[in-house]
Amino acid sequence: MKYTKLMTLTLLALMLAACGKEETKTPASAPAQEEVDEKIENEETNEELVTDVVEEEPMEEVTTKPLYKLNEANWAFKPIADAPSKVVLLTIDDAPDKRSLEMAKTLKELNAPAIFFVNGHFLDTDEEKAVLKEIHAMGFAIGNHTQTHANLKDLTEEQQRAEIMQVSEKVEAIIGEKPKYFRAPFGSNTDFSKALVKEQGMLLMNWTYGYDWVSEYQDAKALTGIMVNSEFLTNGANLLMHDRVWTAAALKGIVEGLRGKGYEMIDPATIQGVTAE
């Protein structure tokens, strides 16, 4: 009997020992190795993400340095420092009458920047306003060309103010910003208009040459020829064109002809006096 009890106690002891070893080997609360690896991997990834956020530098404000300065002697542009000198500025007056959107699309396809000088009487309807908005959305600069295209020298100071300010206010209401450039109809300025334009932060300019109002050049081929081969074509020339059917038809040939001679187009945003320096 004693022997039987002893054997029973021995077996119980062995069983308890085995159970203890099994619990030590795989405790119920311990995660499997796959779970451990996944947790480590996730922690490493999170550390990398945190590091990226900490090390990321704040974005710097983008500014455009002026590359060209207006020469009031001939209304052309002189390069600043080492900016390319063989350039011209394209400008379109009397926008957005009937052909401005077509002209803007042509210039966009050619990657040729330009200023569209607008008259207020072409911004009365929703359709006209939509055209201006689309031209601006394509990246083209917008200039002030007065409300009714009147000769400023024939007007009182108050009338001149109305002619200029009405356009700036209309343009701002449509595209969200005021014009940065001003061109008087017929190139006719007064001391008052010059002072007002300067007060309003606009750059006043006329032009170096233009021909599309002359009867003999109211044809696409003739206009292209004179714009590309004019004796007045010089480095930095300020080219005047208008919203006209023959000018729209000649525009591609003019740009390609000028580029064929080695000229490129000035980006209006790089002109001194309107750049964010």
Side-chain angles (χ1 to χ4, degrees), residues 42-54:
N42 289 337
E43 288 174 351
E44 290 175 349
T45 302
N46 290 336
E47 286 176 2
E48 289 175 4
L49 289 173
V50 171
T51 303
D52 288 343
V53 172
V54 172

Side-chain angles (χ1 to χ4, degrees), residues 74-101:
N74 62 356
W75 302 105
F77 295 89
K78 299 184 293 186
I80 297 173
D82 58 351
S85 60
K86 200 165 186 179
V87 293
V88 296
L89 177 71
L90 302 180
T91 66
I92 313 294
D93 281 13
D94 301 346
D97 189 1
K98 294 179 175 63
R99 300 288 174 174
S100 290
L101 185 56

